[in-house]
């Protein structure tokens, strides 16, 4: 399998159906809370995610494979700038040479106040074990890059987004049957909630970039100097004599 091969179906990922269901459950909490006209599902996996209860009017997908509403390169979206109310990206940046470039293109088509949903694999999790075992290193998803969620949030912050949620879930190494070992999966979720194998980051595009407010300079008090008395000494003496 090629290192840069991307998943086009959930069943290509280990425990893919379970991961898809978990992603849909997380998104179900957000769909009723967002409104607008256009929801873009970017990538083939996003296309297969249910958005039935989303209040946005039109849902469509863009990727370079079969089944897409629009077949196009995600790096060059055939969309007007500022036209999308929400964008869903499911396990895309793991297989990108320049993920920040992809995020910039997504940002171009987002409206102010729009929402972006990014799902990915968490390197600080038991799923990273596959990266260490030669048997799995060339298989999906371990053939891709696992980016730290904090790094993804930094990229979004640079683009002017406010992070609304950073959630972890699927406490399984993705090796073997996900239905086995549910006892210790529940214990890990309780004791170490930050090491879930999958993360969901929800961010909103700010209407104006966040810039630090500089402290206003205090107005300086005018420095008054006494009027010069040169040439008036005699006059002042006469006045003092008259007042005596």
């Amino acid at each position: 399998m090629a290192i840069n091969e991307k998943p086009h179906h959930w069943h290509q990922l280990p425990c893919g159906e379970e991961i898809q269901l978990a992603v849909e459950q997380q998104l179900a909490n957000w769909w009723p809370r967002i409104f607008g006209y256009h929801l873009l599902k970017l990538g083939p996996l996003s296309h297969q995610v249910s958005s039935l209860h989303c209040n946005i009017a039109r849902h469509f997908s863009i990727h370079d494979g079969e089944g897409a509403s629009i077949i196009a390169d995600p790096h060059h979206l055939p969309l007007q700038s500022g036209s999308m109310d929400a964008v869903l990206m499911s396990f895309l940046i793991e297989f990108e040479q320049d993920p920040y470039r992809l995020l910039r293109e997504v940002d171009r088509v987002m409206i102010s106040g729009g929402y972006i949903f990014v799902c990915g694999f968490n390197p600080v999790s038991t799923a990273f074990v596959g990266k260490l075992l030669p048997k799995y290193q060339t298989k999906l998803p371990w053939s891709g890059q696992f980016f730290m969620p904090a790094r993804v949030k930094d990229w979004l912050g640079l683009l002017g987004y406010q992070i609304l949620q950073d959630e972890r879930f699927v406490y399984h190494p993705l090796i073997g049957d996900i239905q086995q070992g549910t006892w210790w999966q529940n214990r890990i979720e309780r004791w170490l909630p930050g090491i879930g194998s999958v993360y969901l980051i929800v961010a909103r595009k700010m209407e104006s970039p966040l810039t630090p407010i500089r402290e206003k300079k205090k107005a300086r008090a005018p420095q008054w100097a006494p009027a010069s008395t040169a040439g008036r000494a005699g006059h002042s003496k006469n006045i003092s004599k008259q007042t005596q």
Side-chain angles (χ1 to χ4, degrees):
M1 179 176 291
I3 297 298
N4 59 352
E5 184 174 349
K6 304 176 183 181
H8 288 83
H9 300 279
W10 286 97
H11 63 75
Q12 291 180 270
L13 297 174
C15 311
E17 293 182 358
E18 290 82 1
I19 294 175
Q20 178 184 2
L21 178 61
V23 169
E24 290 178 342
Q25 290 175 343
Q26 290 290 328
L27 292 172
N29 299 323
W30 282 95
W31 292 146
R33 300 162 61 179
I34 61 176
F35 300 87
Y37 298 98
H38 299 100
L39 166 64
L40 169 60
K41 298 180 178 181
L42 193 59
L45 297 185
S46 299
H47 168 70
Q48 298 163 39
V49 170
S50 173
S51 56
L52 180 62
H53 299 290
C54 182
N55 289 318
I56 293 179
R58 185 186 178 195
H59 309 173
F60 67 101
S61 62
I62 292 180
H63 56 88
D64 55 3
E66 296 181 358
S69 306
I70 301 174
I71 298 177
D73 181 359
H75 302 89
H76 304 283
L77 297 173
L79 302 171
Q80 293 182 353
S81 299
S83 58
M84 296 294 105
D85 299 278
V87 176
L88 171 63
M89 301 172 59
S90 300
F91 307 103
L92 276 183
I93 62 175
E94 286 81 1
F95 307 97
E96 290 292 329
Q97 295 293 331
D98 188 355
Y100 186 61
R101 174 191 169 195
L102 179 62
L103 288 174
R104 287 201 311 267
E105 177 63 6
V106 171
D107 174 64
R108 181 187 65 81
V109 303
M110 291 284 292
I111 67 166
S112 295
Y115 292 82
I116 183 170
F117 301 86
V118 182
C119 296
F121 291 107
N122 180 20
V124 186
S125 68
T126 55
F128 194 77
V129 172
K131 282 280 192 180
L132 307 176
L133 302 177
K135 178 181 178 181
Y136 297 98
Q137 288 174 355
T138 58
K139 296 182 179 181
L140 292 171
W142 300 284
S143 59
Q145 304 180 73
F146 286 14
F147 293 101
M148 292 288 291
R151 188 175 183 184
V152 179
K153 290 190 290 185
D154 285 343
W155 288 334
L156 292 170
L158 290 173
L159 293 171
Y161 286 77
Q162 178 187 11
I163 305 301
L164 303 180
Q165 176 178 315
D166 178 11
E167 192 72 24
R168 309 287 193 280
F169 49 100
V170 185
Y171 293 83
H172 188 272
L174 309 183
I175 298 174
D177 188 356
I178 197 172
Q179 301 300 332
Q180 296 180 354
T182 55
W183 181 86
W184 63 264
Q185 290 182 53
N186 293 333
R187 292 302 182 272
I188 292 176
E189 181 177 2
R190 179 180 298 177
W191 296 333
L192 299 170
I195 66 168
S197 296
V198 178
Y199 67 80
L200 170 65
I201 295 174
V202 183
R204 191 175 191 184
K205 187 172 183 177
M206 303 297 291
E207 294 184 1
S208 59
L210 292 174
T211 54
I213 301 175
R214 296 182 178 179
E215 184 179 358
K216 294 182 179 179
K217 294 182 178 180
K218 295 182 178 179
R220 293 183 178 179
Q223 297 180 355
W224 298 100
S228 176
T229 58
R232 301 184 182 180
H235 180 69
S236 60
K237 289 181 180 179
N238 294 333
I239 295 177
S240 61
K241 289 181 179 180
Q242 292 176 5
T243 58
Q244 289 178 355

